[in-house]
Amino acid sequence: MRNNYNSFYGIAFLLMGVLLGNVGCQNKQAGQETEKEAGVQLWLTTPDKSDLFEHQDTVLAFSKATAGQPSIQVNEKQTYQEIDGFGYTLTGGSALLLNQMGATERAALLKELFAADGNNIGVSYLRVSIGASDLDSQVFSYSDLTAGQSDPKLEKFSLAHDQAYLIPVLKEILAINPEIKILGSPWSPPAWMKTNNNSKGGSLKPEWYNAYAQYFVKYIKGMQAEGIRIDAITIQNEPLHPGNNPSLLMLPEEQAAFIKKSLGPAFKAANLNTKIIIYDHNADRPDYPITILNDLEAKQYVDGSAFHLYAGNIEALTKVHEAHPDKNLYFTEQWTGAPGNFAGDFGWHIRTLIIGATRNWARTVLEWNLAADPQQQPYTPGGCTQCLGALTLDGNKVTRNSPYYVIAHAAKFVRPGSVRIESNIPEKLPNVAFKTPENQKVLIVQNDSSAAQSFNIGYQGKTITTSLPAGATGTFVWQ
């Protein structure tokens, strides 16, 4: 923390603070100073990594526009969707690696990730798997039985796998940020509920719809008993990709039937306010969530739709918004392939997700996944072998990869409850703007060109002139 007092004034101000119960101090890194500096502050990341989410010392002053330069005009009077948060999937594998760190080192890293003050990056949203994802060390559900057995009343349901690593890490995170939102997504139902009796592929048998609905209820209540609130669930991770392990094929008509016949009524009967989010797959199939939302019996239980972008275009989210503007949109997963290319990966994810997804109505942007080891492990047999974590964890050694900085540029300042506001897009300057609950304005700009670019930022008749190096991203913050 920077302290601008000399010794004399420091003592005087400290005594005054004790008397008044409020010691004022400036912390430029926090972006939430008690004494606000006039002008615009900038956090910068460059493709050559010479700046990695670095706060720039120069505060940009509002003045007259520089003629002949492109201008980004920010208009807070035109508002769009509210933001729930930015973050990662906390896989079982991530939790395992975090648990293998020393307690002191883990605590410091979790504070860096989930606190928003000082140099911390303020991750505000997490996705976890309901049962195993393909980035767990083994495949499991909460109701694994011997072949040929079934458990209609879920009497053998158990969160034991999660209690070993995931739940303890979530409790440490909640101690840092009690308001963080958590989304749960299953990769597969228990094998005994499926047509092929296998963790990989197959479909959910209709005779087990009610049992599977209770599986979700038991999961949410079980996590609640651990002090962990599940804000939302998706019904199936990548329902059109049954080739992963674990996985499930679930067509839109099947998902609609499951919602209206079993899941929605089960949540209502259990008095759960956990959101039900549909689809959770690629943007090439906007017809999938639209098909479900066109079914009014199913729609009444649905909060919104979730997307990945391994196929399709990010603009497809707007098609779903236009078809059903009363329902929310979420971006819930995008990987970075190991070993990674920082300049290309960082630029694409900022431009397409942080900017693109939010400009197409997404309330969240989540990267896949939080952590892996130097060999991209752990993963299940048949799981992703080249998924680069936002962090590479090698014991207590931490390497911060491009997804870490992608999320930092938004999460630290665009806090939950912020709203997207209007801004125009000059050529080669993709951007998105937000207004926070504290009335700060946040503008994330990428210079999507091969040369340095100067430009103006206009707001309420005032202007600053600034510039970004080639390929760089800046987060601009002002009151």
Side-chain angles (χ1 to χ4, degrees):
M1 181 175 289
R2 296 184 183 181
N3 193 323
N4 296 325
Y5 310 137
N6 61 28
S7 58
F8 174 80
Y9 287 106
I11 294 171
F13 281 14
L14 181 60
L15 290 172
M16 184 183 298
V18 171
L19 290 171
L20 298 178
N22 181 20
V23 179
C25 66
Q26 295 185 28
N27 183 341
K28 294 183 181 179
Q29 295 292 345
Q32 299 173 344
E33 312 88 283
T34 304
E35 298 180 27
K36 301 290 182 184
E37 292 193 51
V40 181
Q41 298 196 49
L42 168 62
W43 279 256
L44 178 69
T45 296
T46 54
D48 64 1
K49 301 196 278 190
S50 57
D51 284 285
L52 288 170
F53 194 53
E54 294 289 341
H55 177 238
Q56 306 301 292
D57 289 334
T58 302
V59 176
L60 305 168
F62 282 108
S63 61
K64 294 183 178 180
T66 301
Q69 292 191 160
S71 291
I72 300 171
Q73 297 294 324
V74 177
N75 175 20
E76 69 176 341
K77 293 182 180 179
Q78 178 62 59
T79 62
Y80 301 93
Q81 80 276 21
E82 186 173 315
I83 297 299
D84 281 0
F86 299 87
Y88 307 99
T89 301
L90 176 63
T91 59
S94 298
L96 172 65
L97 294 171
L98 286 164
N99 272 277
Q100 291 174 349
M101 299 180 74
T104 301
E105 291 82 0
R106 180 176 61 254
L109 179 59
L110 292 178
K111 182 180 180 184
E112 176 187 330
L113 289 167
F114 296 100
D117 60 348
N119 291 320
N120 306 310
I121 69 168
V123 171
S124 52
Y125 202 103
L126 284 175
R127 183 182 182 219
V128 299
S129 60
I130 299 175
S133 76
D134 62 310
L135 294 188
D136 272 87
S137 58
Q138 64 185 106
V139 175
F140 67 90
S141 77
Y142 304 129
S143 181
D144 289 330
L145 305 175
T146 303
Q149 292 185 329
S150 61
D151 183 17
K153 296 182 179 180
L154 299 175
E155 293 171 337
K156 298 179 181 179
F157 182 96
S158 173
L159 293 177
H161 279 280
D162 286 352
Q163 287 166 336
Y165 303 115
L166 180 65
I167 287 173
V169 169
L170 285 173
K171 288 180 178 180
E172 288 189 61
I173 291 167
L174 285 164
I176 298 166
N177 179 6
E179 303 303 318
I180 195 165
K181 290 187 175 180
I182 300 170
L183 166 71
S185 300
W187 266 239
S188 174
W192 57 268
M193 295 185 184
K194 301 171 69 175
T195 55
N196 64 350
N197 297 302
N198 196 293
S199 61
K200 179 179 178 179
S203 298
L204 179 64
K205 291 181 177 181
E207 58 261 38
W208 296 125
Y209 277 11
N210 287 341
Y212 194 39
Q214 291 304 317
Y215 184 90
F216 281 94
V217 171
K218 277 185 168 288
Y219 168 75
I220 293 164
K221 288 187 173 182
M223 293 296 272
Q224 185 176 359
E226 296 280 358
I228 299 165
R229 180 180 179 273
I230 302 299
D231 181 70
I233 57 96
T234 61
I235 294 167
Q236 173 59 39
N237 172 69
E238 300 190 343
L240 298 178
H241 176 34
N244 206 344
N245 189 19
S247 61
L248 176 81
L249 176 66
M250 182 178 263
L251 301 177
E253 295 79 11
E254 294 173 316
Q255 196 160 113
F258 175 60
I259 293 166
K260 66 185 179 183
K261 292 179 179 179
S262 300
L263 188 65
F267 275 31
K268 185 176 181 179
N271 198 29
L272 296 179
N273 60 4
T274 299
K275 303 178 183 75
I276 295 174
I277 299 173
I278 58 175
Y279 191 42
D280 206 9
H281 206 173
N282 291 328
D284 62 336
R285 290 290 306 273
D287 61 293
Y288 189 116
I290 289 172
T291 296
I292 297 171
L293 294 173
N294 285 345
D295 185 328
L296 296 183
E297 285 186 81
K299 181 179 180 177
Q300 64 179 317
Y301 298 112
V302 174
D303 171 85
S305 311
F307 285 88
H308 308 173
L309 197 61
Y310 304 112
N313 298 308
I314 198 65
E315 291 78 14
L317 277 66
T318 290
K319 293 181 181 179
V320 180
H321 170 77
E322 289 172 347
H324 292 275
D326 55 330
K327 297 300 179 182
N328 295 315
L329 291 165
Y330 304 86
F331 192 88
T332 50
E333 179 185 318
Q334 194 68 28
W335 84 317
T336 298
N341 175 326
F342 185 90
D345 295 336
F346 178 80
W348 187 91
H349 283 245
I350 288 285
R351 180 173 62 257
T352 312
L353 305 183
I354 298 297
I355 296 171
T358 55
R359 290 193 79 104
N360 285 278
W361 299 94
R363 296 170 69 97
T364 61
V365 174
L366 308 181
E367 291 276 348
W368 173 264
N369 86 106
L370 179 59
D373 76 6
Q375 289 76 44
Q376 281 56 253
Q377 293 182 343
Y379 47 79
T380 63
C384 180
T385 62
Q386 293 297 313
C387 285
L388 184 70
L391 306 173
T392 299
L393 298 182
D394 187 3
N396 288 329
K397 181 182 177 183
V398 181
T399 302
R400 293 157 186 82
N401 301 315
S402 61
Y404 172 93
Y405 299 103
V406 168
I407 294 301
H409 266 277
K412 184 174 181 67
F413 303 106
V414 187
R415 305 303 298 162
S418 299
V419 293
R420 179 168 66 93
I421 57 178
E422 184 177 47
S423 63
N424 64 303
I425 305 179
E427 186 177 2
K428 297 293 185 180
L429 289 170
N431 67 83
V432 64
F434 304 91
K435 180 171 67 174
T436 74
E438 294 74 34
N439 204 35
Q440 281 191 322
K441 270 57 68 179
V442 181
L443 177 68
I444 303 169
V445 186
Q446 181 186 65
N447 175 11
D448 187 24
S449 70
S450 57
Q453 177 67 64
S454 296
F455 56 97
N456 302 316
I457 299 174
Y459 171 70
Q460 290 188 342
K462 303 176 293 183
T463 303
I464 65 162
T465 297
T466 185
S467 65
L468 288 173
T473 291
T475 296
F476 298 85
V477 183
W478 69 93
Q479 189 66 34

